[in-house]
Amino acid sequence: MVLVVAQAISANARPESFADLAQKVSPAVVNITTSTVVAQGTGPSPIVPEGSPFEDFFRDFQDRNNNGDRPRRTSALGSGFVISEDGYIVTNNHVIETADEIIIEFFSGRELEATVIGTDPKTDIALLKVDADEPLPFVSFADSDTARVGDWVIAMGNPLGQGFSVSAGIVSARNRELSGTYDDYIQTDAAINRGNSGGPLFNLDGQVVGVNTAILSPNGGSIGIGFSMASNVVTRVVDQLQEFGETRRGWLGVRIQDVTDDVAEAMGLEKVAGALVTDVPEGPAEDAGMKAGDVIMQFDGFEVEDTRGLVRRVGNTAVGKTVRVVVFREGKTQTLRVTLGRREAAEGVVPAAQPGEADEPSETELLGLTLTQLDDELRSQLELDDNANGLVVSDIDNLSEAYEKGMRAGDVITEAGQQKLSSISDLEARIEDAREAGRKSILLLVRRAGEPRFVALSLEEPEDAPE
């Protein structure tokens, strides 16, 4: 009896066939052919030694064929899927980004030319549109947050230009990050190859849970590690592309880093969480009173676990919305009201300069660092602003904690204990304050080539080596 029940459960867990599902969704899946005009001269040409008897032969051959630099047309293949009966189609941005012409081939063999409605390189998503004289078969998106590791999925598309093809597998992992700020990939072992890019990853309800985007492979073919951009990311992008023709992501206007164990201890945080603000350029956060050294604990009612979560949360929030941001500052929390800007309009914003006053040059050794106060000569050598202040790391002990944590000669320390530095005595005072407060480490704001980051260094004296 137990064996019969176990067999029944196993049969229900694994479908006998995906044929009915494939037949149901295939009419909404499309092949995409793109063509681009390139100069003939951009391709490889034979290298013939000067004076070779073949030199005249190859010159005549090139002159006869397209006059040497005559433009030629190249084509590429990809996949996509229809999301509305009036002809909106989703694919990858890299499938169509250089195309002069985009041809959509439907499961029936019918072909239509598509126009680009909008693209989002950050998530590698593009929205296309075709004009059809009748309603088109389409598919809907699933809630990718409900997808579980181990769930069955099927991938459909045009692998290696072979036409409509189906492969099956499971969700191998969730929340994968490859290289993008807004990455949220579903990993699957369903076979994905070149040409599958932009095609749908379906759950067993025939809903799109992801857009097949990339594979991990040493040879260019499927080895069972494929990545599909999660549908919950895609739907937000598609909605904005459909409404505006472009993305409109929220922008807070800060530079941030994760809170580590030693940073949390140095700041007196109860738990290792939040996003540590390293710089506040001109923008929404500065207008709201946020400062470098603040730790963002909550954003718009949501707890902030790390920088990745905060970036996604901010990006998914409407431009112009005023949100409550809870920060940890100087041992207590404070609530700021920030009206978000638009990230796309803020790309390339230069951080605000750090003003200060200079004292007489001096040098000392602290925390395994040889420190020199900034002067005009050092500012010139390091290409810093005339009003830049702080302490320059002129040398560093290779066996020190500072070296292990990535500090190097040429770094500039601008703050210690979340207070600005103008002299060696400032740093010595901050170290003394931290020790009196019972801190085991001190938090330094370090800049390298203009990029800021916080480093926590231990204040405990190293133990003497045993004799």
Side-chain angles (χ1 to χ4, degrees):
M1 183 64 178
V2 173
L3 179 60
V4 172
V5 172
Q7 290 176 338
I9 293 175
S10 176
N12 289 332
R14 178 168 183 164
E16 293 182 359
S17 172
F18 295 102
D20 291 340
L21 176 57
Q23 184 176 13
K24 172 185 174 183
V25 298
S26 288
V29 181
V30 299
N31 295 339
I32 299 178
T33 304
T34 64
S35 60
T36 307
V37 175
V38 297
Q40 183 71 23
T42 59
S45 57
I47 300 175
V48 182
E50 186 176 354
S52 167
F54 295 102
E55 186 176 12
D56 292 337
F57 170 78
F58 279 112
R59 183 183 299 112
D60 293 341
F61 177 80
Q62 289 179 341
D63 290 342
R64 289 196 306 270
N65 287 272
N66 302 323
N67 296 322
D69 290 327
R70 184 177 177 181
R72 60 187 174 88
R73 184 172 289 275
T74 63
S75 61
L77 301 173
S79 305
F81 54 98
V82 184
I83 61 169
S84 66
E85 64 179 12
D86 56 346
Y88 283 99
I89 295 172
V90 172
T91 186
N92 280 146
N93 175 61
H94 76 258
V95 170
I96 56 89
E97 62 182 338
T98 61
D100 299 318
E101 183 181 51
I102 304 171
I103 301 299
I104 305 298
E105 180 190 0
F106 293 87
F107 187 71
S108 63
R110 183 185 184 187
E111 293 185 352
L112 292 174
E113 186 172 351
T115 57
V116 178
I117 299 300
T119 63
D120 180 31
K122 293 187 185 302
T123 57
D124 199 10
I125 295 298
L127 182 65
L128 313 178
K129 179 73 164 60
V130 295
D131 293 324
D133 53 9
E134 59 184 14
L136 296 174
F138 65 94
V139 289
S140 59
F141 287 102
D143 178 0
S144 55
D145 288 342
T146 64
R148 300 180 303 164
V149 173
D151 281 350
W152 283 101
V153 287
I154 65 171
M156 299 190 70
N158 182 22
L160 304 175
Q162 296 302 302
F164 290 90
S165 179
V166 179
S167 59
I170 62 170
V171 173
S172 303
R174 291 280 317 279
N175 303 122
R176 291 297 199 201
E177 182 179 6
L178 298 182
S179 60
T181 304
Y182 302 100
D183 285 1
D184 184 8
Y185 285 103
I186 294 173
Q187 181 184 326
T188 179
D189 63 350
I192 297 175
N193 288 282
R194 293 175 182 174
N196 272 116
S197 289
L201 186 73
F202 289 108
N203 61 20
L204 294 188
D205 293 325
Q207 295 178 312
V208 178
V209 73
V211 177
N212 301 324
T213 301
I215 60 174
L216 184 61
S217 171
N219 54 23
S222 174
I223 60 170
I225 305 178
F227 300 95
S228 297
M229 183 60 75
S231 60
N232 285 0
V233 174
V234 178
T235 52
R236 284 189 289 265
V237 171
V238 168
D239 287 345
Q240 291 188 349
L241 295 180
Q242 197 165 356
E243 183 176 358
F244 307 113
E246 59 188 359
T247 56
R248 298 187 178 183
R249 294 187 172 95
W251 177 58
L252 186 58
V254 291
R255 291 185 178 182
I256 53 179
Q257 70 179 56
D258 284 332
V259 175
T260 59
D261 291 335
D262 48 5
V263 167
E265 196 282 329
M267 299 186 71
L269 290 169
E270 294 182 358
K271 64 177 182 177
V272 182
L276 177 58
V277 178
T278 61
D279 203 3
V280 187
E282 294 182 6
E286 183 189 51
D287 294 342
M290 196 171 295
K291 299 178 180 180
D294 287 350
V295 178
I296 301 175
M297 308 298 294
Q298 292 183 15
F299 176 86
D300 199 19
F302 294 93
E303 297 290 330
V304 175
E305 294 297 326
D306 52 27
T307 56
R308 183 184 178 197
L310 177 61
V311 169
R312 287 185 182 177
R313 184 72 64 183
V314 173
N316 293 334
T317 305
V319 176
K321 181 180 180 180
T322 299
V323 299
R324 293 181 180 273
V325 180
V326 178
V327 300
F328 182 85
R329 179 188 299 173
E330 298 177 354
K332 57 184 178 181
T333 59
Q334 182 175 341
T335 301
L336 307 176
R337 292 176 61 85
V338 185
T339 301
L340 299 184
R342 184 183 170 202
R343 183 178 181 86
E344 290 82 359
E347 298 287 353
V349 170
V350 179
Q354 299 287 338
E357 299 179 359
D359 291 332
E360 291 297 321
S362 58
E363 183 175 294
T364 191
E365 292 185 7
L366 286 169
L367 307 174
L369 305 168
T370 301
L371 301 171
T372 304
Q373 187 170 306
L374 271 176
D375 56 20
D376 291 339
E377 182 179 353
L378 285 172
R379 291 187 186 95
S380 177
Q381 291 177 5
L382 297 173
E383 300 181 350
L384 299 175
D385 293 339
D386 293 340
N387 59 355
N389 279 287
L391 305 177
V392 179
V393 179
S394 55
D395 198 7
I396 185 170
D397 183 355
N398 290 356
L399 299 179
S400 67
E401 179 191 16
Y403 188 89
E404 291 179 358
K405 292 187 174 180
M407 293 188 66
R408 296 294 184 268
D411 287 350
V412 180
I413 305 173
T414 60
E415 293 184 14
Q418 298 178 269
Q419 297 186 44
K420 295 185 183 301
L421 296 179
S422 297
S423 64
I424 295 291
S425 59
D426 285 346
L427 176 57
E428 292 173 337
R430 300 291 81 74
I431 291 175
E432 185 62 27
D433 290 344
R435 283 175 171 156
E436 289 181 358
R439 301 270 187 247
K440 296 180 180 179
S441 56
I442 188 168
L443 198 64
L444 306 179
L445 179 57
V446 181
R447 294 180 181 271
R448 180 182 301 169
E451 294 295 324
R453 71 185 183 100
F454 281 99
V455 178
L457 297 183
S458 174
L459 296 178
E460 297 180 347
E461 296 292 336
E463 296 181 1
D464 294 333
E467 298 181 358

